[in-house]
Amino acid sequence: MQIVVSHEGTDFDALASMFAVTKLFPGTKMVIWGTANRNVRHFLSLYGNFFPILKEKEVDWEKVNKIYVVDTTYWERLSKAGELIRDGKVEVVFFDHHSEGENSEGEKKEGVVIIKEYGACTTILVEKIMEQKIALSPLEATLLALGIYEDTGSFTFSTTRAEDLSAASFLLRQGAKVGFVNRFTGIQLTPEQRETLKKMINLLHVEEIEGIPVHFCRMKLTEYVEGISLLVHKLMDLEEIELLFVLMETENKVYVIARSRLEEVDLAKILGKMGGGGHHSAASLTVKGKKIEEVEEMIREALSASLSFTRAKEVMSCPVKVISPSTTIGEALLILMRFGFSGLPIVDENGKLVGMIARRDVEKAFRHGLQNAPVKSFMSSQLVTVDPEDSIFKVRNLMVEKDIGRIPVVRGDTLLGIITRSDLLRVLHQRENSVVQELTRLNLAEKLYLHFSPLDLKLLHFIGDESKRAGAKAYLVGGVVRDIILGFPGYDLDIVVEGDAIELAQTISRKLEGKVVSYPPFGTAILFLKDGRRVDFASARSEYYDSPGAPPHVEYSNLRRDLFRRDFTINAMAISIGTDDWGDLFDFFGGLKDLENKTLRVLHPLSFVEDPARAIRAVRFEQKYGFEIEPFTLSLLKQTVREGLLNKIKPDRLKEEINLILRLPDFYRLLERLYQLDMFPYIFPGSTWRREFEPVYQRLVKLLDRFSFLSLDYFLAKLSPLWGEMDPAYLGELKERLALSKASIRKISTYLDKKEELEEKLPDETLPDSQAYLLLRSLGDEFLLLLEAKWGEDSLPGKRVEQYLKEWRKITPYLTGEDLRRKGIPAGPIYAKILEELKLARIDGLVKSREEEEILVEKIWRNEAHER
């Protein structure tokens, strides 16, 4: 395991440098320990989910074998990581920009040390990202830019170098948002400014006006304060203020500086009524002949007359899905998975709100085997609630301050509704939400053009245009998105529609003269075009299951919930084919990051329980793409196997999953993996895996290619090594488990019955070819190829199988039944016997011409007549 760490009191340069390491060395995890600076905490509260960050206590330190250290070379101050470095238990690499000497790259006894005297450590790593031509999303570029801007004082510090500006220029080309720099970083103050700022903080007071926290700072000035606007800005940053009025009183004047981060507050309009001026978010006012308290009251009255904000009651979701204290962890998890919630309120028998439980806590309890424990043992009773009349700004501030994602709306003890982060983003932060989407968006238009043919691209554009006309949104989803990103060939057109998929498919069908087959209960439709192409449409929906392997219940939903119902994060991405955002990737669950890290991860802990076939699919994806099933997912898979849930997979579905495995080139390696994971008893009853199967399979694969002209049952042929060694007592169970035909079971049974005889006689050089022919002709072709694969084509049994397939069974006597009739032999079973004798004689080389056959017939007939 590789990790990257930095100094305590994480600032943006440290955070950005750590993230840069994860881009340069995929799979590396960022570990933040101790405290982080306030602006960093603010940034992470909004965007932390987009970065691979672990807390120190979440690291399995015994598995750490390499540590990257950034923005410091003092490993003695790195807590747990420092201990590993001190003890020499790990490989270590340092990146730092603090040095009194020349730039250096080398190795010290503690490890590799790379130091360059740049303005920011981030610049060192961005240079390497540039060298390796690693692409960045706008959000990633923004974080790296924050690191450089902060440590160079927005390029004003004397330590700034040309390389810092060059790195920042590169990041801007990658989509970094400069506006976020001012929001999250600050400028150093002079000692005098720091003293004034301390006074301002001490004089600060807050009150609610129309439900909005409004901050006032009243101070008397005896001398000029340089850079007061900067101090106001700093004050807002330090105290996380949304609306601030700083009032400064001199001998006969009161100066007012106002700043706002609320779109709904127009400061120019508010202070303009009092004789001031400015613009929407920044304004000032000078008042003569009034005391500072009077001016503050004037502002308060102006605000009361001007402010009108959305209340909690207008935003909350209701009615609320609640559970009781006695609800089990397992039941709570099912509800969370079913509805995609991140937490649940808990109410007692009187309807009183008594606690909240977060999804992460439910999952953790479930992971520890506590699914039958009541939620009251794990719920939080320290409730953070709001009144229905409270402003949504108060709600948001509570969410950030308390680091919670949902807040109940209560009156007294009665639960009225609940507000989630999503609710706030929809109502309060529509503009900011669009920024978040822009930052995290990756456009794959170029990959679409590389992946699809011009004909398919034209069709996708047409579908996107039609969906817009219908007031819907259309997306490519699932496996095709995964393959587009990986660059794998694949031509499935799976479309999810936020809207009516059946109606959209029918509209397109009418215009393209196609045919639609619809399935209204599931909101799906298949469009068949005249040229043979097929497009699958589905309305965005969520699903839940009553029991493992049961058919899902369907509820129409949005894109996010539709993707959440899927198996793995790598299959839970979508690409827009709409005209407005063609090619935009929608990745809500980190699928792209898992693709980059070659990690297979389920979306939620009950994924295998809801659909046990996903366990088999996990093995297929793991081997097909060279991925690794992440530890928690693997533990869930093994638990699914142990609890026998694979038995819930219906035979046809199971056979379909196995068929998908058998289509892969090294399918037998996947079979071995299924055996290693103890799946065989539930998939192939009575079968096992043996080490010697691998060379047999390697030869079998070549034989299947060489004998492709045979009419083979490839399902049977590719599994013949397993079934050729199975316990015959399980044949009936095998037939039912995989819905095998009677013909397939007969072929397996025949081979098992004759296996010992074949192994004894086929290698015998004294055995006539005709007898070998009789032994082999009772076997299906699938097991003939198995025999050759087991013995090898250069062995005597292998050569006999080759002769049987290529020569012996094609041999027919020169004479026919008509010839026998002309010889006066009465018609009857004797004809078949004579013709069989002739064929066997030809196989043994005893007869080679028509004349020799006639002589042999006369002999056979004489003997037959004599016996009669």
Side-chain angles (χ1 to χ4, degrees):
M1 179 181 181
Q2 298 182 167
I3 64 170
V4 56
V5 298
S6 189
H7 53 75
E8 188 180 19
T10 308
D11 57 19
F12 272 115
D13 193 28
L15 183 69
S17 297
M18 286 194 287
F19 172 69
V21 167
T22 70
K23 295 296 288 186
L24 291 165
F25 308 101
T28 304
K29 301 294 184 184
M30 300 165 62
V31 178
I32 294 179
W33 64 281
T35 60
N37 286 359
R38 178 176 293 186
N39 53 351
V40 170
R41 294 201 306 272
H42 187 194
F43 178 87
L44 292 177
S45 73
L46 296 172
Y47 308 107
N49 289 339
F50 297 108
F51 302 100
I53 297 172
L54 296 175
K55 294 180 180 177
E56 191 176 44
K57 64 183 180 181
E58 295 173 333
V59 179
D60 187 346
W61 292 99
E62 293 182 357
K63 293 183 179 179
V64 175
N65 54 26
K66 188 169 187 177
I67 298 177
Y68 296 94
V69 181
V70 297
D71 206 27
T72 182
T73 54
Y74 293 98
W75 53 262
E76 302 93 336
R77 304 174 186 174
L78 295 177
S79 189
K80 290 278 189 182
E83 293 174 10
L84 291 182
I85 296 171
R86 179 197 64 201
D87 296 337
K89 294 182 178 180
V90 293
E91 183 182 355
V92 60
V93 178
F94 294 90
F95 294 94
D96 197 14
H97 67 122
H98 304 105
S99 174
E100 295 181 0
E102 297 180 354
N103 295 350
S104 62
E105 291 193 24
E107 184 167 347
K108 298 182 179 180
K109 68 175 184 177
E110 300 92 327
V112 176
V113 180
I114 299 171
I115 297 178
K116 295 187 178 182
E117 284 190 333
Y118 293 166
C121 183
T122 305
T123 301
I124 301 171
L125 295 149
V126 170
E127 280 188 338
K128 295 184 179 294
I129 288 173
M130 293 163 65
E131 290 169 5
Q132 296 183 26
K133 298 181 178 179
I134 297 173
L136 299 169
S137 74
L139 178 60
E140 293 170 344
T142 299
L143 173 57
L144 296 174
L146 284 168
I148 296 173
Y149 273 78
E150 181 185 65
D151 250 34
T152 62
S154 295
F155 310 109
T156 62
F157 294 169
S158 60
T159 54
T160 303
R161 298 290 180 266
E163 289 82 0
D164 298 304
L165 289 161
S166 177
S169 175
F170 164 75
L171 295 172
L172 290 176
R173 292 195 298 274
Q174 295 290 307
K177 300 293 180 183
V178 178
F180 274 53
V181 174
N182 285 334
R183 180 175 176 184
F184 291 109
T185 65
I187 301 173
Q188 283 191 343
L189 305 177
T190 64
E192 295 79 9
Q193 288 174 325
R194 284 199 291 270
E195 282 302 315
T196 302
L197 183 57
K198 287 180 183 177
K199 292 177 182 177
M200 294 172 72
I201 293 172
N202 291 332
L203 294 169
L204 196 65
H205 66 277
V206 61
E207 60 184 87
E208 282 196 6
I209 300 176
E210 295 298 311
I212 306 304
V214 181
H215 288 73
F216 292 94
C217 176
R218 296 199 313 256
M219 56 191 302
K220 294 189 177 183
L221 297 180
T222 57
E223 58 184 17
Y224 171 72
V225 178
E226 183 180 3
I228 190 67
S229 294
L230 172 61
L231 298 182
V232 172
H233 177 78
K234 273 285 187 182
L235 183 60
M236 292 191 73
D237 285 344
L238 289 171
E239 298 300 318
E240 298 180 349
I241 296 171
E242 298 283 358
L243 183 55
L244 172 64
F245 293 88
V246 176
L247 295 86
M248 298 163 289
E249 187 178 40
T250 60
E251 289 183 0
N252 60 349
K253 293 181 183 178
V254 175
Y255 298 95
V256 179
I257 295 178
R259 296 290 186 268
S260 171
R261 289 184 175 137
L262 303 178
E263 282 292 317
E264 294 79 359
V265 176
D266 188 343
L267 291 176
K269 184 177 179 181
I270 293 171
L271 293 190
K273 294 178 179 179
M274 302 166 61
H279 53 82
H280 189 278
S281 58
S284 61
L285 169 69
T286 301
V287 181
K288 296 180 180 180
K290 290 187 180 291
K291 293 194 175 293
I292 197 168
E293 293 83 4
E294 294 177 301
V295 176
E296 182 176 328
E297 184 59 31
M298 291 166 56
I299 294 171
R300 192 177 291 109
E301 291 174 0
L303 284 170
S304 298
S306 303
L307 299 182
S308 177
F309 291 101
T310 307
R311 308 293 177 185
K313 63 183 180 182
E314 301 172 54
V315 180
M316 67 185 188
S317 299
C318 59
V320 185
K321 188 73 177 176
V322 298
I323 56 176
S324 71
S326 61
T327 303
T328 67
I329 287 292
E331 292 167 341
L333 191 54
L334 278 172
I335 294 171
L336 290 166
M337 296 305 103
R338 180 177 300 174
F339 296 101
F341 294 154
S342 58
L344 286 168
I346 301 167
V347 299
D348 63 16
E349 63 275 9
N350 299 317
K352 177 183 177 182
L353 180 66
V354 294
M356 293 284 295
I357 190 161
R359 178 171 154 184
R360 62 177 176 268
D361 295 327
V362 174
E363 290 176 349
K364 189 180 294 184
F366 186 88
R367 193 159 57 238
H368 287 290
L370 300 171
Q371 57 265 31
N372 294 322
V375 294
K376 66 182 178 183
S377 302
F378 307 95
M379 71 182 188
S380 172
S381 55
Q382 300 297 313
L383 298 172
V384 178
T385 64
V386 293
D387 185 86
E389 298 298 326
D390 282 339
S391 158
I392 52 173
F393 294 105
K394 180 176 180 179
V395 176
R396 188 197 58 183
N397 291 341
L398 283 172
M399 283 187 175
V400 173
E401 180 185 341
K402 304 295 184 182
D403 190 25
I404 51 179
R406 68 216 67 80
I407 294 182
V409 181
V410 299
R411 179 173 283 126
D413 292 329
T414 304
L415 179 65
L416 302 179
I418 196 163
I419 300 176
T420 67
R421 284 197 181 105
S422 298
D423 296 326
L424 280 177
L425 288 173
R426 276 195 304 271
V427 180
L428 176 64
H429 289 307
Q430 290 181 356
R431 180 177 60 84
E432 186 167 334
N433 193 31
S434 66
V435 171
V436 173
Q437 290 181 359
E438 182 181 354
L439 282 169
T440 57
R441 182 185 303 152
L442 182 66
N443 189 276
L444 301 179
E446 186 176 345
K447 284 185 176 286
L448 287 178
Y449 288 116
L450 291 173
H451 186 85
F452 290 110
S453 67
L455 201 60
D456 283 339
L457 285 169
K458 184 178 179 181
L459 175 60
L460 290 173
H461 276 295
F462 183 76
I463 294 171
D465 292 342
E466 289 301 316
S467 68
K468 184 175 182 179
R469 289 192 187 95
K473 289 278 293 178
Y475 308 86
L476 283 167
V477 295
V480 66
V481 176
R482 175 198 68 225
D483 292 341
I484 287 169
I485 295 170
L486 291 175
F488 276 58
Y491 308 100
D492 293 339
L493 294 177
D494 292 328
I495 308 292
V496 157
V497 180
E498 284 186 316
D500 193 329
I502 295 176
E503 183 178 337
L504 179 61
Q506 290 171 339
T507 299
I508 294 171
S509 176
R510 286 192 295 271
K511 294 187 177 183
L512 298 182
E513 299 180 2
K515 178 184 177 183
V516 171
V517 178
S518 62
Y519 304 89
F522 289 90
T524 61
I526 304 174
L527 170 63
F528 297 95
L529 298 175
K530 291 190 296 184
D531 59 8
R533 287 180 295 165
R534 161 182 170 158
V535 185
D536 289 84
F537 290 86
S539 290
R541 65 192 192 270
S542 58
E543 297 175 346
Y544 64 91
Y545 300 76
D546 287 333
S547 61
H553 295 278
V554 175
E555 295 178 354
Y556 293 102
S557 187
N558 55 25
L559 177 66
R560 188 183 190 282
R561 289 196 177 179
D562 183 274
L563 295 175
F564 184 70
R565 69 183 175 83
R566 296 171 187 271
D567 49 12
F568 307 105
T569 58
I570 63 169
N571 293 331
M573 295 180 284
I575 297 176
S576 173
I577 56 172
T579 55
D580 298 329
D581 51 3
W582 167 269
D584 278 358
L585 176 70
F586 289 81
D587 176 19
F588 301 101
F589 310 108
L592 182 62
K593 187 68 68 178
D594 283 341
L595 279 181
E596 292 172 351
N597 294 333
K598 294 185 174 295
T599 297
L600 196 65
R601 185 191 316 275
V602 290
L603 274 82
H604 57 80
L606 290 183
S607 183
F608 294 131
V609 175
E610 291 181 345
D611 185 1
R614 291 171 176 170
I616 300 171
R617 205 175 308 151
V619 172
R620 174 159 57 90
F621 289 146
E622 176 191 48
Q623 302 294 312
K624 178 179 179 179
Y625 297 111
F627 284 11
E628 181 179 352
I629 302 175
E630 63 93 22
F632 181 54
T633 298
L634 185 60
S635 70
L636 293 174
L637 186 152
K638 289 179 177 179
Q639 183 177 350
T640 299
V641 175
R642 284 195 302 271
E643 294 181 2
L645 295 181
L646 295 186
N647 281 329
K648 303 287 185 181
I649 307 173
K650 294 189 179 206
D652 290 341
R653 177 85 184 285
L654 179 60
K655 191 172 185 180
E656 179 185 343
E657 290 291 342
I658 299 303
N659 256 322
L660 290 171
I661 285 176
L662 297 180
R663 291 174 191 167
L664 298 176
D666 292 336
F667 65 90
Y668 53 90
R669 300 191 192 282
L670 280 75
L671 297 177
E672 183 179 10
R673 180 66 167 144
L674 292 175
Y675 175 76
Q676 291 169 350
L677 293 170
D678 298 323
M679 295 191 191
F680 262 37
Y682 309 101
I683 303 174
F684 308 118
S687 304
T688 188
W689 179 270
R690 298 179 180 176
R691 186 175 300 172
E692 58 266 26
F693 283 173
E694 184 165 343
V696 172
Y697 263 116
Q698 290 171 346
R699 292 191 288 266
L700 179 62
V701 169
K702 294 178 182 177
L703 288 170
L704 290 172
D705 183 57
R706 190 150 60 85
F707 285 93
S708 59
F709 57 85
L710 297 176
S711 297
L712 295 171
D713 177 345
Y714 281 91
F715 188 81
L716 181 59
K718 291 183 176 183
L719 294 171
S720 61
L722 302 183
W723 293 339
E725 300 295 333
M726 73 172 290
D727 184 343
Y730 287 88
L731 275 173
E733 188 177 339
L734 180 68
K735 178 180 183 300
E736 296 302 320
R737 192 70 196 98
L738 287 166
L740 297 178
S741 66
K742 291 181 180 178
S744 295
I745 293 298
R746 186 168 57 250
K747 289 179 180 180
I748 300 170
S749 178
T750 300
Y751 176 81
L752 293 173
D753 288 344
K754 291 186 169 289
K755 185 171 69 169
E756 289 187 12
E757 185 180 4
L758 289 164
E759 291 175 351
E760 176 188 348
K761 293 182 177 179
L762 279 182
D764 186 354
E765 295 181 356
T766 64
L767 181 73
D769 286 348
S770 59
Q771 296 306 302
Y773 163 80
L774 292 175
L775 275 174
L776 295 174
R777 75 173 179 181
S778 62
L779 300 181
D781 288 355
E782 297 83 3
F783 285 94
L784 290 171
L785 294 183
L786 171 62
L787 277 177
E788 183 170 346
K790 286 180 68 174
W791 288 93
E793 59 183 290
D794 294 330
S795 66
L796 181 57
K799 290 176 180 177
R800 283 174 162 166
V801 171
E802 289 268 346
Q803 283 184 287
Y804 174 83
L805 291 171
K806 294 179 178 177
E807 303 172 22
W808 294 347
R809 68 178 179 183
K810 297 178 182 178
I811 291 175
T812 57
Y814 292 110
L815 300 181
T816 65
E818 180 61 26
D819 294 320
L820 298 182
R821 186 186 64 77
R822 283 199 293 267
K823 286 182 174 293
I825 300 175
I830 189 62
Y831 277 29
K833 181 178 179 182
I834 292 173
L835 294 175
E836 173 79 348
E837 291 286 341
L838 291 178
K839 178 168 184 168
L840 297 177
R842 285 199 61 189
I843 289 172
D844 285 334
L846 300 178
V847 295
K848 298 179 179 177
S849 64
R850 184 181 180 89
E851 291 74 17
E852 290 178 345
E853 282 191 8
E854 289 179 343
I855 293 171
L856 181 57
V857 167
E858 291 175 2
K859 180 179 178 181
I860 294 171
W861 177 239
R862 282 198 304 272
N863 290 339
E864 186 70 24
H866 179 71
E867 289 178 3
R868 291 181 180 180

